[in-house]
């Protein structure tokens, strides 16, 4: 079976809405490399969209999953629970930022985690409103689309969305949005759209994912914490893409030194096995009554086993430090590229191994170049390199390498990127 024939079958059998960036059908993968059904080898700098932080098929995670499958695969955590879920909850509670006692729940996807944060916040505060940020991404369900601050392709044609959701501008130095302007806009929401004592929560990605890999300044996160404290609002940190050592800390919120009331966790939590979590302050998490939270597959025993192994790998292989090293090595090469192509590469930025390159026309920040972005991703794939795009204007190339990637593969991937961009320029 070939890539072409599988792609033709896929087009006939699967809805186009569940897109495929590359017509590359994987036969096997190991660490930061993928081999397709045609026998081609590709370096993977997408990591399943920040899921495989520990690389494809890490031996420790494989062994943990195999051992669990030999015991049982599903009983439903809400019916007949199991020790691995308790172990994982205890460990997540322990690593979540801040000194407050924590509790956890398990669900299956990041969008479910976000939805449950809103449910818990509304239950605890008795308030309906939620404030999110322009450019943010929180999922594809109706509620999480409402929270998401990017129209195409996530919201277009799918409304109406739930009421009592409001958006404020996210601070963005490259695009001239200051912390002061963002905070003033938040105050304006309180004056013009919803009074603060009707707001249950403010949800923020400490680094925007789909929005373009822009990091919230520490002083902005600290100001949000104060706003929430002043008005009895809960602060939700959406750490779905930023968590589990991706940014050089276990969670990106740690850089700001603030303690969220609630956190979402998914993606890198379990090395590719579907599990997600909400972790928050114990008294808040206990607001909904028994049966108010959960799901049939939430806290899968296989996912729990994989997540426990991921936490061991992160600690034993010092992947937080490795993320910083990867970020330094890759951004050094990207800045060399920027020096060679200053009219095409407007900005290079990173927080640990969450790395972005923003493409523009004639060096103008206000003239995004989504056409070059699409062409570069396609050209790189043809040369054996998997990349992803992001950004509300579609002009950001994002790099999410496995945190276990060796230096020689980083260098090879940057060589391919160099050749690909040169071929298009």
């Amino acid at each position: 079976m070939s890539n072409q024939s599988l792609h033709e079958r896929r087009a006939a059998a699967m809805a186009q809405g569940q897109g495929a960036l590359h017509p590359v059908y994987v036969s096997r993968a190991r660490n930061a490399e993928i081999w397709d059904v045609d026998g081609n080898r590709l370096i993977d700098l997408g990591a399943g969209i920040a899921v495989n932080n520990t690389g494809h098929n890490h031996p420790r995670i494989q062994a943990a999953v195999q051992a669990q499958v030999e015991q049982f695969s599903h009983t439903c955590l809400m019916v007949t629970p199991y020790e691995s879920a308790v172990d994982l909850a205890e460990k997540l509670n322990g690593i979540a930022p801040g000194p407050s006692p924590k509790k956890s729940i398990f669900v299956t996807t990041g969008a479910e985690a976000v939805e449950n944060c809103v449910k818990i916040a509304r239950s605890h505060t008795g308030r309906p409103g939620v404030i999110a940020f322009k450019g943010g991404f929180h999922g594809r369900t109706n509620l999480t689309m409402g929270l998401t601050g990017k129209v195409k392709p996530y919201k277009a044609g799918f409304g109406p969305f739930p009421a009592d959701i409001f958006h404020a501008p996210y601070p963005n130095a490259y695009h001239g949005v200051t912390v002061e302007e963002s905070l003033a806009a938040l105050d304006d929401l309180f004056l013009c759209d919803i009074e603060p004592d009707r707001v249950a929560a403010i949800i923020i990605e400490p680094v925007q994912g789909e929005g373009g890999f822009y990091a919230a300044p520490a002083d902005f996160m600290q100001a949000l914490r104060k706003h929430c404290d002043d008005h009895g609002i809960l602060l939700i940190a959406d750490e779905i893409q930023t968590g589990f050592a991706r940014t050089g800390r276990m969670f990106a919120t740690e850089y700001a030194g603030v303690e969220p009331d609630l956190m979402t966790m998914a993606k890198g939590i379990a090395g590719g096995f579907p599990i997600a979590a909400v972790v928050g302050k114990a008294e808040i998490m206990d607001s909904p009554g028994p049966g108010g939270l959960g799901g049939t597959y939430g806290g899968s025993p296989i996912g729990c086993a994989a997540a426990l192994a991921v936490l061991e790998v992160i600690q034993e292989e010092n992947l937080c430090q490795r993320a910083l090293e990867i970020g330094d090595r890759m951004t050094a090469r990207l800045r060399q590229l920027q020096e060679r192509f200053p009219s095409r590469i407007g900005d290079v930025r990173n927080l640990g191994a969450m790395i972005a390159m923003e493409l523009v026309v004639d060096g103008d920040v206000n003239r995004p170049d989504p056409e070059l972005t699409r062409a570069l991703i396609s050209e790189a794939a043809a040369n054996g390199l998997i990349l992803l795009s992001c950004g509300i204007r579609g002009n950001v190339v994002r790099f999410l390498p496995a945190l276990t990637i060796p230096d020689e593969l980083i260098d090879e991937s940057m060589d391919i990127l160099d050749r690909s961009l040169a071929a298009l320029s």
Side-chain angles (χ1 to χ4, degrees):
M1 196 58 64
S2 67
N3 283 325
Q4 181 178 348
S5 62
L6 282 169
H7 209 51
E8 290 170 355
R9 287 172 56 193
R10 180 191 179 282
M14 299 178 66
Q16 66 174 351
Q18 191 167 26
L21 182 61
H22 302 293
V24 172
Y25 288 76
V26 180
S27 64
R28 62 188 177 95
R30 196 74 174 178
N31 198 1
E33 296 172 281
I34 286 173
W35 289 264
D36 69 16
V37 295
D38 288 342
N40 301 306
R41 166 197 175 259
L42 302 100
I43 301 173
D44 181 12
L45 294 189
I49 316 183
V51 167
N52 297 110
N53 289 359
T54 49
H56 295 286
N57 281 8
H58 193 287
R60 175 71 68 86
I61 299 166
Q62 275 189 306
V65 167
Q66 288 167 351
Q68 179 58 55
V69 169
E70 290 176 0
Q71 300 302 315
F72 59 94
S73 62
H74 175 77
T75 67
C76 188
L77 183 60
M78 299 182 298
V79 178
T80 49
Y82 27 88
E83 184 178 0
S84 60
V86 179
D87 287 344
L88 181 59
E90 289 173 341
K91 286 182 167 55
L92 295 180
N93 296 341
I95 64 174
S100 303
K102 306 291 196 304
K103 286 192 175 183
S104 298
I105 63 163
F106 295 117
V107 289
T108 309
T109 69
E112 281 184 88
V114 172
E115 292 237 1
N116 277 276
C117 275
V118 173
K119 287 170 61 176
I120 293 164
R122 285 173 169 168
S123 175
H124 183 74
T125 63
R127 304 173 178 182
V130 183
I131 296 173
F133 289 89
K134 295 179 181 180
F137 177 80
H138 300 289
R140 289 181 172 90
T141 62
N142 189 256
L143 174 60
T144 57
M145 281 190 294
L147 294 170
T148 290
K150 180 181 177 183
V151 172
K152 292 184 178 180
Y154 304 114
K155 302 174 74 165
F158 293 125
F161 304 112
D164 288 319
I165 293 174
F166 305 88
H167 290 88
Y170 192 93
N172 186 327
Y174 181 59
H175 290 279
V177 183
T178 67
V179 167
E180 292 74 19
E181 288 170 336
S182 295
L183 292 173
L186 183 62
D187 289 335
D188 191 61
L189 279 179
F190 292 155
L191 290 172
C192 301
D193 294 294
I194 184 170
E195 60 271 38
D197 61 8
R198 289 188 66 248
V199 177
I202 296 175
I203 184 167
I204 186 169
E205 296 168 283
V207 183
Q208 287 195 330
E210 294 295 319
F213 280 29
Y214 304 105
D219 57 342
F220 183 71
M221 295 292 290
Q222 292 158 7
L224 281 186
R225 178 70 275 176
K226 185 176 187 308
H227 268 61
C228 288
D229 291 341
D230 289 346
H231 297 294
I233 298 168
L234 302 189
L235 180 62
I236 301 171
D238 185 339
E239 292 263 10
I240 289 168
Q241 193 162 165
T242 51
F244 297 92
R246 170 54 56 186
T247 65
R249 303 281 181 94
M250 187 61 79
F251 300 104
T253 313
E254 296 174 42
Y255 282 102
V258 300
E259 180 179 11
D261 297 299
L262 298 166
M263 293 178 63
T264 60
M265 303 180 186
K267 288 193 182 290
I269 191 173
F273 292 88
I275 188 171
V278 175
V279 180
K281 295 177 179 178
E283 73 276 12
I284 296 172
M285 292 293 292
D286 276 339
S287 294
L293 306 173
T296 302
Y297 294 107
S300 154
I302 296 171
C304 287
L308 288 166
V310 163
L311 292 175
E312 292 174 356
V313 170
I314 289 173
Q315 181 177 11
E316 292 174 10
E317 299 187 16
N318 198 13
L319 294 189
C320 287
Q321 178 60 34
R322 180 58 182 156
L324 298 175
E325 295 167 358
I326 290 168
D328 288 344
R329 192 177 191 93
M330 289 187 67
T331 54
R333 287 292 302 272
L334 293 174
R335 290 195 172 98
Q336 290 175 8
L337 269 182
Q338 187 179 24
E339 290 176 3
R340 288 176 52 207
F341 302 101
S343 67
R344 315 307 295 271
I345 301 175
D347 192 37
V348 172
R349 53 184 175 269
N350 76 298
L351 191 63
M354 198 168 180
I355 304 155
M357 177 176 71
E358 186 155 349
L359 302 181
V360 297
V361 176
D362 293 334
D364 187 347
V365 62
N366 295 313
R367 296 177 65 193
D369 200 339
E371 293 81 12
L372 177 60
T373 304
R374 288 191 293 269
L376 179 58
I377 287 172
S378 179
E379 179 73 15
N383 290 312
L385 178 63
I386 297 295
L387 299 173
L388 303 172
S389 64
C390 64
I392 59 171
R393 307 185 302 173
N395 68 318
V396 178
V397 179
R398 56 175 157 171
F399 304 87
L400 291 163
L403 305 183
T404 50
I405 188 173
D407 285 347
E408 56 266 27
L409 281 186
I410 295 175
D411 295 342
E412 184 183 353
S413 70
M414 293 296 97
D415 290 342
I416 294 172
L417 179 68
D418 189 321
R419 293 196 302 271
S420 300
L421 185 58
L424 297 170
S425 299

